[in-house]
Amino acid sequence: MNSPYRCPNCKTNRSRFNIIQQVPQSIKMDPQTGQVLEEYSTEQLSPFHMPYKGPDKRVQCAACGLVEDERTFIKFGEKQ
């Protein structure tokens, strides 16, 4: 997070952002009720449960509300 950001949507915000930490929770749900039947640790996922491979954090523009991957804001921050 030591790179300048700029919002790719409103294109003016360079200073006000919300950092969203993503913490995945691996679960198995009942398809009819939505009740959580089982919760898995990262080390003990079932064979049919793919681990989360998305970004650890996302960024929200505090001016317009756009939520994107941090790299998107960094790329626009590099442009003048």
Side-chain angles (χ1 to χ4, degrees):
M1 193 168 74
N2 292 342
S3 301
Y5 287 174
R6 182 170 65 135
C7 178
N9 186 49
C10 65
K11 297 178 177 53
T12 57
N13 182 22
R14 291 179 170 268
S15 60
R16 295 180 314 277
F17 301 96
N18 297 312
I19 305 297
I20 303 164
Q21 299 293 331
Q22 298 197 133
V23 181
Q25 181 181 7
S26 300
I27 62 168
K28 180 178 180 181
M29 294 176 69
D30 182 291
Q32 278 75 38
T33 65
Q35 179 181 1
V36 175
L37 299 175
E38 204 170 341
E39 190 170 340
Y40 304 106
S41 69
T42 307
E43 298 82 29
Q44 297 180 344
L45 292 176
S46 75
F48 298 106
H49 200 111
M50 189 164 73
Y52 177 73
K53 294 182 181 173
D56 291 335
K57 62 182 164 184
R58 293 179 59 95
V59 177
Q60 180 183 36
C61 174
C64 74
L66 177 73
V67 177
E68 286 289 337
D69 188 74
E70 181 183 34
R71 290 174 288 169
T72 305
F73 283 88
I74 290 172
K75 286 293 182 191
F76 273 83
E78 293 170 351
K79 298 177 183 178
Q80 291 298 335

